[in-house]
């Protein structure tokens, strides 16, 4: 049998898991591991400029592929710098394996140089964590970490490795476990057939149904089943922010996003429905508005792989715990077997009601005639320029909501945003993680002048590795989303939501070796985007788009109201 | 309502911290907590008493079940069960009170496990409410110190919580 050091075992184990890239930053406690990395070439390391970005890069890769992204950081500040990134992944159930160095095991507890209790600090934001006690355990721990991160409801897993577990001269017999069994961890493989039958009966009996599909459909790779079910029944579909792309946005049956900034029609349909089929979503407060007024006439069927998501905020009539793909498959079979169809007459009048709601508002906004772009217009321009086929990452703020509302995602895994934690600074590194793994695809980070500065240092990483992402910055000169709330709830007192002294973006990106384009007037947008994806196809391009600073995101649900209580513009309320 | 949640837990470093952390993080309440290894040294048995609405208790059990180290779990209050808590209580025992305290301890089936000229240390087991009642009976004024283990519980009948 082969003899390897702990550091070598770690890298070899990553290779066995099919890992191509590791995103990280070295330091004292991981030097043995970095030396092991150097002496092989199957696992490549990407050196970021700040550890938070390493986590977001791994996260972006994971969201685009469904596979765990890998992060490697040193102890102390290296580890703590990843926490925001780990929490971001945790909140959105993204598979990730984070390897953090630790001081020598015999120094743990002595407040040694660069010691922090990473197990403790990360505990509330990981699915699980391991601390290595013997070098021989490393292969099995890595195997378990990937298994846990990627199965069931996915999530980040931390492996904390004291430096003395990786000493080059201490070698051990190496073999990689083929199988893992964790007696206390058995994610559900299948839904309960009796429950599924009950759900199907409710579905077929519904007169005003709606399918509410979330990020779980994407994580559970069930978009095809969702499409089949919706088509078969001719039921309307709405998506959460995390679920966008799980059902084709350009399809007639798609009502757009629901919730706080959801479409008028999606929220109206939810409120008036008599049956909600929730697939892989979690009745989050940004969706339900006031739960006591939520969908007053609806029976609720909820499919989720995580039982703790069910009946957490809203009571459910038929809970189904299981992987969404297999549950939907079983539903489709049962419907075929029963041979019944939903009440066509009821459905017809439901659809005509829906079409009326669609007509009432749509996603209307007023364009300006002085040449200044509306942010919505800019996103529509981006949609056309990329033919709706790009990977779009976003940061957090108004630009994020405009991207979600106006970029029509027809495929899953293409809309990449921090929906749960709302992490400004996520967009650029996430885009980088995707571009490295999909070099031939268009990858665009939609951002704001506030958010982009939270990880702007990564422009340097992009040059080092030739990562040609596009940064589409909707520059409104404000922390726009904060400003919007201040306009609406604080009589326009813009407390610290205006940033003075912004950099000259063109000079900034040029200093980092990239291309910058200003779009000051509507007429310049198309040309800029053509250059971005044409002339500068292989370069990182920062498009600085001046947009209306006063614009608000609408619709917007009225706090403490029901789903249907919305502002539709600055002056119009339902 | 008060619930008694009984857990089989991997006997590993950090497992207890995860359980306790979960309660703090989600602002669930812990009234008592006991934990010790079982006859199988790879497993610990933990008993937690907590109060909350049905929805909160359902979330607590679901969230606990999600912890990788939690092997099995049962809400004992859902069925017939036996619960016991042990208390060591040090009381002032002088003059006429001395005999009175001894009598009360006997009634509650307590044992005096240590004696000085002025102090009795009494050991008592039973349901938590019985221990409370004992303190009331001897009068809280003469209590010098109490230490309670927290509740341990087990289901009645054939039911077991094992692998
Ligand atoms: C790390 C972090 N800090 C603070 C916030 C709160 N926050 C949400 S949106 C927002 C404004 C974002 O401004 P910008 O990036 O310019 O986007 P805009 O809303 O203007 O489109 C802020 C400060 C956050 N989401 N994340
Ligand atoms: Mg802004």
């Amino acid at each position: 049998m082969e003899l390897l050091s702990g550091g070598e075992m770690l890298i070899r184990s990553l290779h066995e898991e099919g890992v191509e890239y590791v995103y990280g930053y070295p330091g004292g406690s991981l030097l043995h591991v970095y030396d092991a990395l150097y002496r092989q070439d199957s696992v490549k390391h990407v050196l970021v400029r700040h550890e938070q970005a390493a986590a977001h890069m791994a996260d972006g890769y994971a969201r685009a592929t469904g596979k765990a992204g890998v992060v490697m950081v040193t102890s102390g500040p290296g580890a703590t710098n990843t926490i925001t990134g780990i929490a971001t992944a945790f909140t959105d159930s993204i598979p990730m394996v984070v390897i953090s160095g630790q001081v020598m095991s015999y120094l743990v507890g002595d407040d040694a140089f660069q010691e922090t209790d990473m197990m403790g600090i990360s505990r509330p934001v990981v699915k699980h964590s391991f601390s290595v006690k013997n070098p021989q355990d490393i292969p099995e721990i890595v195997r378990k970490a990937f298994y846990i991160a990627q199965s069931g409801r996915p999530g980040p897993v931390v492996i904390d490795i004291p430096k003395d577990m990786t000493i080059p001269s201490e070698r051990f017999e190496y073999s990689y476990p083929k199988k893992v069994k964790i007696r206390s961890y058995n994610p559900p493989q299948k839904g309960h057939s009796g429950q599924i039958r009950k759900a199907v009966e409710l579905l077929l009996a519904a007169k005003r149904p709606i399918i509410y599909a979330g990020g779980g459909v994407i994580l559970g790779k069930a978009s095809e089943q969702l499409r089949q079910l919706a088509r078969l029944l001719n039921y309307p579909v709405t998506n959460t922010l995390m679920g966008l792309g799980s059902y084709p946005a350009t399809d007639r049956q798609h009502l757009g996003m629901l919730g706080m900034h959801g479409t008028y029609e999606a929220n109206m349909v939810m409120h008036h429905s008599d049956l909600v089929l929730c697939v892989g979503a979690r009745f989050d407060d940004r969706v339900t508005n006031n739960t006591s007024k939520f969908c007053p006439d609806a029976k609720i069927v909820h499919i989720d792989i995580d039982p703790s998501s069910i009946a957490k905020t809203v009571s459910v009539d038929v809970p189904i715990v299981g992987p969404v793909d297999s549950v939907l498959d079983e539903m489709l079979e049962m419907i075929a077997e029963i041979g019944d169809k939903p009440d066509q007459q009821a459905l017809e009048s439901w659809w005509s009601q829906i079409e009326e709601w669609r007509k009432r508002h749509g996603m209307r906004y007023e364009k300006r005639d002085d040449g200044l772009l509306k942010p919505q217009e800019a996103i529509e321009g981006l949609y056309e320029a990329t033919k709706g086929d790009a990977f779009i990452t976003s940061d957090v703020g108004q630009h994020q909501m405009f991207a979600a509302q106006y970029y029509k995602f027809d495929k899953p895994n293409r809309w990449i945003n921090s929906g749960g934690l709302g992490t400004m600074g996520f967009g650029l590194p996430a885009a980088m993680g995707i571009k490295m793994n999909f070099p031939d695809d268009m990858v665009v980070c939609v951002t704001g002048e506030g958010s982009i500065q939270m990880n702007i240092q990564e422009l340097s990483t992009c040059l080092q590795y030739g990562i040609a992402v596009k940064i589409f910055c909707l520059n409104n000169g404000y922390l726009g989303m904060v400003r919007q709330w201040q306009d609406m709830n604080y009589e326009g007192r813009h407390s610290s939501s205006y940033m003075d002294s912004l950099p000259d973006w063109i000079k900034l990106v040029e200093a980092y070796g990239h291309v910058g384009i200003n779009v000051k007037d509507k007429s310049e947008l198309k040309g800029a985007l053509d250059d971005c994806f044409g002339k500068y196809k292989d370069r990182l391009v920062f498009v600085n788009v001046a947009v209306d600073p006063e614009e608000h995101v609408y619709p917007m649900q009225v706090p403490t109201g029901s789903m249907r209580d919305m502002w539709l513009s600055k002056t119009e309320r339902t | 309502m008060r619930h008694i949640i009984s857990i089989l837990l991997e006997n590993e470093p950090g497992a207890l911290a995860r359980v306790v952390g979960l309660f703090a993080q989600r602002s669930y309440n812990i009234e008592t907590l006991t934990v010790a290894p079982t006859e199988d040294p790879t497993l610990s048995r933990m008993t937690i008493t907590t109060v909350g609405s049905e929805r909160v208790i359902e979330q607590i059990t679901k969230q606990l079940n999600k912890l990788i180290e939690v092997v099995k779990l049962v809400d004992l209050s859902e069925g017939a069960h036996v619960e016991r808590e042990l208390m060591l209580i040090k009381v002032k025992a002088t003059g006429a009170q001395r005999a009175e305290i001894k009598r009360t301890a006997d009634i509650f089936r307590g044992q005096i496990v240590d004696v000085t000229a002025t102090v009795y240390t009494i050991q008592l087991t039973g349901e938590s409410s019985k221990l409370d009642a004992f303190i009331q009976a001897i009068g809280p004024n003469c209590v010098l110190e109490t230490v309670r283990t927290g509740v341990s519980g087990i289901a009645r009948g054939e039911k077991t919580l094992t692998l």
Side-chain angles (χ1 to χ4, degrees):
Chain A
M1 219 183 255
E2 218 177 343
L3 292 181
L4 296 180
S5 71
E8 289 165 340
M9 285 198 271
L10 177 65
I11 303 303
R12 182 71 73 82
S13 301
L14 294 177
H15 174 62
E16 311 244 17
E17 288 295 332
V19 173
E20 186 180 2
Y21 291 114
V22 169
Y23 312 94
Y25 212 100
S29 67
L30 272 188
L31 287 177
H32 299 323
V33 176
Y34 271 81
D35 192 55
L37 259 173
Y38 189 88
R39 286 184 288 100
Q40 54 86 55
D41 52 17
S42 53
V43 178
K44 301 184 213 60
H45 182 265
V46 178
L47 178 65
V48 293
R49 301 300 183 259
H50 185 295
E51 288 90 347
Q52 182 189 345
H56 293 327
M57 278 188 88
D59 182 322
Y61 161 78
R63 288 180 202 240
T65 60
K67 289 188 241 158
V70 183
V71 181
M72 197 179 275
V73 291
T74 192
S75 66
T80 56
N81 270 350
T82 64
I83 293 295
T84 301
I86 297 173
T88 302
F90 180 72
T91 317
D92 289 341
S93 312
I94 304 304
M96 180 184 285
V97 173
V98 180
I99 294 153
S100 56
Q102 185 52 276
V103 300
M104 303 279 190
S105 57
Y106 53 83
L107 291 178
V108 168
D110 288 358
D111 302 319
F113 176 64
Q114 294 196 327
E115 178 189 350
T116 56
D117 176 11
M118 180 59 169
M119 294 292 285
I121 289 178
S122 64
R123 191 187 305 117
V125 293
V126 296
K127 183 170 174 186
H128 195 56
S129 43
F130 295 93
S131 168
V132 176
K133 304 272 185 253
N134 299 294
Q136 301 96 303
D137 297 342
I138 288 175
E140 191 183 338
I141 288 178
V142 172
R143 182 82 177 84
K144 283 185 178 169
F146 275 84
Y147 170 57
I148 291 171
Q150 297 180 140
S151 59
R153 179 179 183 171
V157 176
V158 163
I159 306 177
D160 202 42
I161 309 188
K163 186 170 186 177
D164 50 335
M165 300 295 126
T166 58
I167 297 172
S169 58
E170 293 180 10
R171 299 171 163 272
F172 306 89
E173 286 189 351
Y174 169 85
S175 76
Y176 199 66
K178 288 202 176 54
K179 268 201 184 146
V180 265
K181 173 111 189 74
I182 304 173
R183 65 178 171 184
S184 54
Y185 176 69
N186 298 295
Q189 303 299 324
K190 205 178 157 305
H192 185 283
S193 297
Q195 292 293 92
I196 297 177
R197 182 164 295 275
K198 273 192 218 158
V200 165
E201 281 161 11
L202 281 182
L203 261 183
L204 291 172
K207 298 199 184 317
R208 300 186 310 279
I210 171 83
I211 301 174
Y212 145 47
V217 177
I218 296 172
L219 295 166
K221 300 186 173 61
S223 298
E224 182 47 36
Q225 287 90 338
L226 175 66
R227 203 185 55 80
Q228 282 180 26
L229 183 74
R231 286 282 167 77
L232 177 71
L233 298 170
N234 186 26
Y235 286 180
V237 181
T238 180
N239 278 137
T240 64
L241 178 65
M242 296 310 298
L244 292 172
S246 67
Y247 189 87
T250 54
D251 186 85
R252 181 190 64 87
Q253 283 168 245
H254 193 249
L255 306 182
M257 182 166 77
L258 84 170
M260 179 174 276
H261 292 300
T263 65
Y264 173 74
E265 52 269 34
N267 287 342
M268 292 301 275
V269 166
M270 284 292 287
H271 184 84
H272 291 95
S273 64
D274 70 349
L275 180 95
V276 173
L277 171 63
C278 170
V279 192
R282 57 189 176 93
F283 297 88
D284 164 270
D285 54 289
R286 285 293 192 266
V287 160
T288 59
N289 211 4
N290 185 341
T291 49
S292 68
K293 299 178 186 167
F294 179 73
C295 300
D297 304 327
K299 288 240 180 330
I300 298 178
V301 178
H302 188 180
I303 310 171
D304 205 293
I305 196 152
D306 176 4
S308 76
S309 282
I310 298 179
K312 182 171 64 181
T313 61
V314 165
S315 322
V316 169
D317 298 282
V318 183
I320 303 173
V321 177
V324 282
D325 56 347
S326 90
V327 172
L328 291 179
D329 275 334
E330 206 171 326
M331 277 188 162
L332 284 162
E333 277 164 35
M334 254 180 222
I335 293 172
E337 184 193 298
I338 294 172
D340 275 0
K341 273 191 161 184
D343 179 341
Q344 293 305 306
Q345 217 171 345
L347 201 53
E348 212 168 288
S349 70
W350 184 225
W351 270 112
S352 71
Q353 171 67 74
I354 294 172
E355 293 307 336
E356 249 163 66
W357 283 326
R358 258 188 178 147
K359 262 184 251 149
R360 158 107 199 256
H361 187 255
M363 293 301 288
R364 115 177 94 81
Y365 63 90
E366 272 165 43
K367 298 189 182 172
R368 296 171 62 121
D369 46 23
D370 61 357
L372 188 58
L373 277 162
K374 285 283 188 173
Q376 299 93 324
E377 247 178 315
I379 299 289
E380 286 176 334
L382 178 66
Y383 177 72
E384 278 157 33
T386 55
K387 303 187 178 60
D389 202 31
F391 285 96
I392 303 287
T393 72
S394 92
D395 271 303
V396 175
Q398 292 184 319
H399 60 273
Q400 173 192 27
M401 291 301 124
F402 289 130
Q405 291 177 330
Y406 290 88
Y407 199 99
K408 307 254 168 284
F409 294 94
D410 279 339
K411 292 187 215 159
N413 307 91
R414 296 261 155 172
W415 165 239
I416 312 284
N417 86 129
S418 166
L421 199 67
T423 307
M424 290 170 69
F426 172 80
L428 172 59
M432 292 159 60
I434 298 167
K435 185 69 182 174
M436 287 204 82
N437 292 279
F438 296 86
D440 301 329
D441 284 82
M442 290 177 279
V443 182
V444 183
C445 165
V446 173
T447 185
E449 78 300 327
S451 295
I452 193 65
Q453 293 184 82
M454 288 215 176
N455 270 317
I456 193 76
Q457 76 287 343
E458 296 310 316
L459 288 174
S460 173
T461 313
C462 289
L463 189 70
Q464 180 171 353
Y465 296 94
I467 308 174
V469 295
K470 313 298 174 186
I471 298 171
F472 195 66
C473 181
L474 300 186
N475 189 340
N476 53 11
Y478 280 93
L479 301 176
M481 190 55 98
V482 173
R483 183 197 147 121
Q484 173 168 349
W485 284 59
Q486 290 169 338
D487 285 340
M488 296 175 79
N489 303 321
Y490 300 89
E491 298 166 326
R493 288 185 296 278
H494 295 157
S495 178
S496 292
S497 55
Y498 175 68
M499 265 187 203
D500 212 335
S501 312
L502 288 170
D504 176 331
W505 299 101
I506 307 301
K507 277 194 190 151
L508 178 92
V509 293
E510 283 175 0
Y512 276 107
H514 306 297
V515 179
I517 306 176
N518 274 322
V519 175
K520 297 207 177 82
D521 188 277
K522 259 178 220 203
S523 59
E524 298 163 357
L525 180 64
K526 187 165 180 310
L529 285 169
D530 285 350
D531 284 353
C532 188
F533 298 108
K535 188 157 84 175
Y536 300 123
K537 185 170 175 296
D538 299 323
R539 302 284 301 275
L540 184 151
V541 184
F542 187 107
V543 189
N544 177 39
V545 189
V547 296
D548 188 345
E550 312 228 312
E551 187 57 303
H552 286 179
V553 183
Y554 293 110
M556 181 165 180
Q557 281 175 334
V558 177
T560 75
S562 70
M563 290 295 287
R564 69 171 163 184
D565 299 319
M566 292 168 266
W567 286 100
L568 299 178
S569 71
K570 285 187 185 173
T571 52
E572 206 184 339
R573 243 193 86 158
T574 53
Chain B
M1 215 189 94
R2 176 171 171 274
H3 286 251
I4 305 172
I5 297 171
S6 207
I7 305 169
L8 267 190
L9 193 68
E10 295 288 356
N11 186 9
E12 280 170 5
L16 175 62
R18 267 185 241 274
V19 172
V20 175
L22 175 72
F23 276 76
Q25 202 177 313
R26 295 188 180 263
S27 79
Y28 304 144
N29 130 357
I30 299 185
E31 303 248 294
T32 73
L33 182 153
T34 67
V35 59
T38 64
E39 70 287 359
D40 171 352
T42 68
L43 288 171
S44 296
R45 174 77 175 243
M46 181 186 276
T47 313
I48 295 178
T49 57
T50 178
V51 287
S53 64
E54 287 309 306
R55 176 171 282 181
V56 169
I57 299 295
E58 184 180 330
Q59 269 298 310
I60 291 177
T61 56
K62 285 173 167 179
Q63 294 291 349
L64 282 168
N65 259 320
K66 260 170 81 170
L67 296 177
I68 307 287
E69 283 111 337
V70 169
V71 184
K72 267 190 182 171
L73 171 162
V74 61
D75 182 349
L76 288 176
S77 4
E78 280 176 353
H81 62 275
V82 182
E83 63 170 282
R84 290 292 179 270
E85 186 174 2
L86 182 142
M87 172 167 72
L88 295 172
I89 179 167
K90 203 171 266 194
V91 295
K92 229 186 307 164
T94 46
Q97 263 189 326
R98 231 172 139 80
E100 183 55 30
I101 287 172
K102 170 91 176 57
R103 246 193 317 276
T104 314
D106 287 342
I107 294 169
F108 281 81
R109 293 178 205 279
Q111 287 164 283
I112 297 173
V113 292
D114 189 44
V115 187
T116 72
T118 56
V119 167
Y120 278 154
T121 301
I122 303 163
Q123 169 192 315
L124 215 74
T125 48
E127 292 190 2
S128 308
S129 54
K130 172 179 151 184
L131 308 188
D132 296 340
F134 177 74
I135 295 174
Q136 283 310 315
I138 57 167
N141 285 340
C142 67
V143 175
L144 299 170
E145 185 182 354
T146 62
V147 48
R148 296 169 70 148
T149 56
V151 172
S152 290
I154 199 162
R156 285 189 185 276
E158 315 272 296
K159 262 189 258 161
T160 57
L161 183 66
T162 43
L163 269 189

